[in-house]
Amino acid sequence: MSQPAPHQPISEELRAKLSRCGAATISNALLKRGYRNTFLLGVQGVAPGQPAMVGPAFTLRFIPAREDKDTMALYARDDGLHRRAIEECPPGAVLVMDAGGDARASCMGDMMALRLKMRGVAGVVTDGGFRDVPGIAATGLPSFQRQASGPATPIALHPVEFDAPVGCAGVAIYPGDVIVGDGEGVVAIPRELVEEVADEAFAAAEYEAFAAAHIARGRSIFGLFPATPDSRVEYEQWVTAGRPAIV
Amino acid sequence: MSQPAPHQPISEELRAKLSRCGAATISNALLKRGYRNTFLLGVQGVAPGQPAMVGPAFTLRFIPAREDKDTMALYARDDGLHRRAIEECPPGAVLVMDAGGDARASCMGDMMALRLKMRGVAGVVTDGGFRDVPGIAATGLPSFQRQASGPATPIALHPVEFDAPVGCAGVAIYPGDVIVGDGEGVVAIPRELVEEVADEAFAAAEYEAFAAAHIARGRSIFGLFPATPDSRVEYEQWVTAGRPAIV
Amino acid sequence: MSQPAPHQPISEELRAKLSRCGAATISNALLKRGYRNTFLLGVQGVAPGQPAMVGPAFTLRFIPAREDKDTMALYARDDGLHRRAIEECPPGAVLVMDAGGDARASCMGDMMALRLKMRGVAGVVTDGGFRDVPGIAATGLPSFQRQASGPATPIALHPVEFDAPVGCAGVAIYPGDVIVGDGEGVVAIPRELVEEVADEAFAAAEYEAFAAAHIARGRSIFGLFPATPDSRVEYEQWVTAGRPAIV
Amino acid sequence: MSQPAPHQPISEELRAKLSRCGAATISNALLKRGYRNTFLLGVQGVAPGQPAMVGPAFTLRFIPAREDKDTMALYARDDGLHRRAIEECPPGAVLVMDAGGDARASCMGDMMALRLKMRGVAGVVTDGGFRDVPGIAATGLPSFQRQASGPATPIALHPVEFDAPVGCAGVAIYPGDVIVGDGEGVVAIPRELVEEVADEAFAAAEYEAFAAAHIARGRSIFGLFPATPDSRVEYEQWVTAGRPAIV
Amino acid sequence: MSQPAPHQPISEELRAKLSRCGAATISNALLKRGYRNTFLLGVQGVAPGQPAMVGPAFTLRFIPAREDKDTMALYARDDGLHRRAIEECPPGAVLVMDAGGDARASCMGDMMALRLKMRGVAGVVTDGGFRDVPGIAATGLPSFQRQASGPATPIALHPVEFDAPVGCAGVAIYPGDVIVGDGEGVVAIPRELVEEVADEAFAAAEYEAFAAAHIARGRSIFGLFPATPDSRVEYEQWVTAGRPAIV
Amino acid sequence: MSQPAPHQPISEELRAKLSRCGAATISNALLKRGYRNTFLLGVQGVAPGQPAMVGPAFTLRFIPAREDKDTMALYARDDGLHRRAIEECPPGAVLVMDAGGDARASCMGDMMALRLKMRGVAGVVTDGGFRDVPGIAATGLPSFQRQASGPATPIALHPVEFDAPVGCAGVAIYPGDVIVGDGEGVVAIPRELVEEVADEAFAAAEYEAFAAAHIARGRSIFGLFPATPDSRVEYEQWVTAGRPAIV
């Protein structure tokens, strides 16, 4: 079977599923498949209530700036990769910016965020930082960073490449990997596993809702969470019964 | 006089007092007694409005994980110490988890937090991190961590021991020490000092309210804060007078 | 032409301008003049909604504490520099506290913040931390720190000097430099540049509002942001036309 | 089959083998068995030429100090755990000190090192630091630390426990695990694997000597290192031939 | 004039000059030309007496490992980029490995170092770490790292690309840039500037020898170092006079 | 009794005593007097065999550089504080440079070190870094730094003040405090305590030599180290007996 092309948008159904699982639950489904390092530690959303972010990764790689290549004049040119990324990141994709963990200069400001939002980009994540954070939050674009950073990009960062494999917050990101970000954090799913991981994580999240209802009524986590064969039977019967209120 | 047993719940009166002093004021009362290192630096609550946390420490110690001892299967067993801690931490106690400052894997998720809440545990603090942070916040359990951490516990952490003396965020915690956490942070009070520290800190907090009312009307902090013999007389007279409005 | 004396209050007009530009935009105007290191990285406001802070810097320098000079008794004396700074920082000024990046003890508590607020001080910034953060937020004094810190000042910090040049969060601060802090962060403007920087940054912010309106309607950032000669003509015409609604 | 008791000394043959493999080669043999986290990152020997260290782990766990329990007077008592560890660590064992990564106070000085050396202890490793480092080096006791630390132990560290499982430099250490330290660093081998790991690592080191002789004569690493089936046949023939000079 | 091809070996004369200037003096010549960020901070040589390293950069970029792509079996394949880099780095070049600052796994071991040495590679630098450091030192290959790292490469690092622009220890490295490493550290010279920088740095080093001889006889640095117009005349006369002994 | 003026040279006898005690033993004598924070953590000598450094502190304070004040031209002027410090630091004193822990630019190079050496300055310590480290080591000037740093001073550091109280590596340094640096590290002694601390530390070091001789012959540290009343009697008798060989 052929591999989906990078950035091929994911289906609405898949997006909906992934946006409701929780990033941590998704990382568990990946761990079961042997992937231990999929959660981007140390990045957080710019606004508490921002919507979940789901989409294939479009990557931009930065290296440290150098004075001959990183002037404000060169930066402003339309063929600069940083600005081109804002115009060329595919709608539905997540722009992943590898800043080498350097938050001494910004990876994005509010104008760029607004443009990404208008273009239908699903969100942005960097292991560096953003400037104009309140303005970015106001655009509604789901955005994740390590630490706010006001200084202009060319002070410390030089964009070199689109859609190479990169590292971001210590996690390998290959173009097309599906990135999910929510209130729990950001996780990267290898593209070829996204369907099965989404199914499993969604099922796990549904089971968790069942378990939570029981725990909220005083039941122990023993024999209930994580699920046991018995509790799984109980759960299936409850689902079959039309998910009656748990009292 | 005999020593109170570890975890012996503290009285409602004591709890009420400590929850109203402020963690920083409590640390001052400890400093007067020669204790310089009682404030857990770098940990913060998962939700801005969470209630104050007061209770004797029940400790859980983690060490780094090892692949033969830290599989998901072993983790799920009911005799695993991590899961047992959730079921065995005494009601009214604060679960203190020493993660060695490692936030690469989680110390608690929302199911565990909900169970602790239902069991009447007073709160949780770790120098590592939690997963499902929005879910934890939703339980209302006062919870303090260093940094959110989505990955599953066995990826990096192995639970080894209950109720040993531990370090948490650089502070020594002995079982039964009284832990207070609020919007200012988290402080640990040696158990045998808790009554006198609570009294002194509470008195200091009441004096601060008096001083604040004066400062808010334009008075200098000189001769007022910190209290002087004269200002203390003034305060006592004001208390005796029934705390009339300060205008 | 004579140099303005340090702390000479800045005009209301200048303050108003600077409070509306955004700290990141101000740092850009400084970068154009060759100043690359003007943004205080890693400090943040104590409350999301706090007002913008604008004023000339009044500095206080700390060094590490030493047990013979940093007792609570000495700390409480009215001739202690820390307490004097609270009473002597000029109204309209910003109190900049160089803690050497050390957040193991606090630089300010809520009583001090309240007094500064009542005295008309414009705000406070430190590369260390504050105690009683919720209380500070309640005073409404714009306050920026690196990390909350409950322990009493004398545990780790000793005040040595007023109004010396200092470093704060890696940026040189000379007395009288104009400090601007808002939701984007904190920036320091060399005093002699403040008028021209304010004008330029304000103009840039106004242009950004124009650009944002276009971007919000789907226009590309190419040829629009950063401004080009053509887009600037377009902008001027729009201003001349009375800034009609952009649809 | 019964488990060897913790600290049971390892045989001279095993010690000799392990001291000649190289810590990195040993970590490879562990990786093949699924153990990814066995190398203590960030610790180094106190002297360049110190002998290799091999022995079962005897652990000492520290927590942060507290002023009532960590005075110099209490420290000097013969029942203090820190001093007892120096007298009770079994000959042939490696003393592993978990300092929680804290090098603000020392874990050992030269008197202690000399005593350990005289008692036949195989070496010492900590993720904290030592004082009197030149003196320690002079004793000849193989000693590994994170960073030199002059301050007295009770300033920051309190000893709480012997021979509990601990973490040291991010690696789980169970009592009796065999610790190997040399110019490459320090590695921990789960006790039950030590024989097979030693055999495999020793064989790998011998193959490396063969490969190095070829590389030193200009041969490519392709087809030679890591070993291939063909190169392994070649190696076996060379061994059978009595390891003739490679020219 | 056409640009030299990347990796075109530099002349013996240039190499000799650069190896005698000192990395810090070279960085000064770059600073004069506006390059402020050319010195790789935090890396150091594996052996005190290793020879100076001079050569054009051949880069290898790593990203974080992922379990499906970074097994030991895949690692051992001859088409793996890490192993290919060892066989393909041009003689005379410096292998620059961008490990993203991650020293949790090794970038090179002694077999690889020996092969590079035999192939005539000029040296190696990484912002990660090496394993088998004593073995690497024994090869005589000039090698610079951030921190020794025993674990196998695939535990944390995945090689993705040759000769892309990379960052290493916070400095931009473009293929062909000339890298100089010595007892002072490592500096990167943009390829097009190498001749003029070498000339100027060499001249500066010669002047420093003159100045040092005077300082060693008690002369002040004022009027001597840095050079003044007068001292430069004095120096030229001394050179013209055949550099007589300074007494 | 009047206070010794800052920098008043210390007597040869005192210098000799302090150079033979060991920095860690000195810190113990300070701890007995209540001084817990006197050891400069994280700094180390530039050369293993460099002589001990003893002298009163002459301080130089740096702040972050700013482009208008920190050009190479301004740097080279004879009235620049950095260069003046090299010419004005009193013979016999220790130059203590507070770099705010910033090693991104150098605090001293080999020309400066040579000049200090020729002028009879006792040594140098900074919490930043030096350039030309091999050259500095060659001068024989005892020099302690945090990390080597090749870049020119004005890239990151601006000198602002002589002989103010400063922090260096987290320790308060007041002008005239006596600084002792050796193979164990660097310690700061408040000037008024130097005589009694030297006496006590010297006596402790002599006792340690006695204890070491016993330990080297197999005696336990119990009852011997730290000294007990009995062991002290034994020591005094041994001293009285003319320190006969311990066998």
Side-chain angles (χ1 to χ4, degrees), chain F:
Chain F
M1 206 191 77
S2 73
Q3 186 75 2
H7 320 139
Q8 182 186 322
I10 60 177
S11 69
E12 258 323 294
E13 186 201 343
L14 190 55
R15 183 186 303 268
K17 242 185 213 168
L18 288 166
S19 69
R20 289 160 56 196
C21 300
T25 299
I26 291 170
S27 77
N28 270 26
L30 287 162
L31 178 58
K32 274 202 195 160
R33 285 157 180 79
Y35 293 79
R36 305 165 64 92
N37 186 30
T38 61
F39 202 93
L40 282 69
L41 294 167
V43 302
Q44 49 195 332
V46 296
Q50 69 182 15
M53 163 181 92
V54 182
F58 176 84
T59 72
L60 173 60
R61 181 164 73 91
F62 288 99
I63 63 169
R66 206 171 74 183
E67 288 81 353
D68 58 338
K69 297 185 188 282
D70 296 287
T71 61
M72 286 305 285
L74 289 171
Y75 181 75
R77 287 173 51 154
D78 292 349
D79 60 356
L81 287 182
H82 193 189
R83 301 185 70 230
R84 278 183 50 202
I86 304 305
E87 294 293 338
E88 299 182 21
C89 178
V94 169
L95 178 57
V96 177
M97 294 189 283
D98 167 2
D102 188 346
R104 291 174 305 162
S106 67
C107 283
M108 183 177 73
D110 54 2
M111 296 292 124
M112 284 180 158
L114 181 57
R115 178 60 180 152
L116 289 169
K117 174 73 178 172
M118 294 310 297
R119 292 191 53 252
V121 166
V124 181
V125 58
T126 184
D127 55 5
F130 303 135
R131 64 193 324 211
D132 315 315
V133 169
I136 292 173
T139 68
L141 180 77
S143 304
F144 296 83
Q145 66 176 346
R146 192 166 66 74
Q147 183 183 301
S149 177
T153 313
I155 286 178
L157 296 173
H158 177 82
V160 279
E161 203 174 355
F162 285 172
D163 253 1
V166 299
C168 190
V171 174
I173 311 284
Y174 290 86
D177 283 355
V178 177
I179 311 298
V180 179
D182 57 25
E184 300 181 359
V186 180
V187 67
I189 313 170
R191 183 62 189 248
E192 60 276 18
L193 299 175
V194 68
E195 296 280 354
E196 66 183 83
V197 162
D199 287 345
E200 179 168 324
F202 189 75
E206 291 215 304
Y207 180 85
E208 282 196 26
F210 163 81
H214 280 285
I215 295 169
R217 270 145 200 82
R219 186 161 159 186
S220 165
I221 59 171
F222 288 162
L224 177 66
F225 186 80
T228 63
D230 282 357
S231 77
R232 209 161 270 293
V233 168
E234 182 188 350
Y235 168 69
E236 297 300 345
Q237 291 173 337
W238 174 76
V239 169
T240 305
R243 303 179 195 251
I246 293 167
V247 286

Side-chain angles (χ1 to χ4, degrees), chain E residues 74-137:
Chain E
L74 289 172
Y75 181 76
R77 286 173 53 155
D78 292 349
D79 60 355
L81 287 183
H82 193 189
R83 301 185 69 230
R84 278 183 50 202
I86 303 306
E87 294 292 339
E88 299 182 21
C89 178
V94 169
L95 178 57
V96 177
M97 294 188 284
D98 167 3
D102 189 346
R104 290 174 307 161
S106 66
C107 284
M108 183 178 72
D110 55 1
M111 295 292 126
M112 284 180 158
L114 181 57
R115 178 62 180 151
L116 290 171
K117 174 74 178 171
M118 294 310 298
R119 292 191 52 252
V121 166
V124 180
V125 57
T126 183
D127 56 4
F130 303 135
R131 64 194 324 211
D132 315 315
V133 169
I136 292 173

Side-chain angles (χ1 to χ4, degrees), chain D residues 83 87 115 118 131-132 147, chain F residues 24 28 215-216 218 220-221 225:
Chain D
R83 302 185 70 231
E87 295 291 338
R115 179 60 181 152
M118 294 311 297
R131 66 194 322 212
D132 316 315
Q147 183 183 301
Chain F
N28 270 26
I215 295 169
S220 165
I221 59 171
F225 186 80

Side-chain angles (χ1 to χ4, degrees), chain A residues 108-116 130-139, chain C residues 25 184 208 212 215 225:
Chain A
M108 183 177 73
D110 55 1
M111 295 292 125
M112 284 180 158
L114 181 57
R115 178 62 180 150
L116 289 170
F130 302 135
R131 65 194 323 211
D132 315 314
V133 168
I136 291 172
T139 67
Chain C
T25 299
E184 299 180 1
E208 281 196 26
I215 294 168
F225 187 81

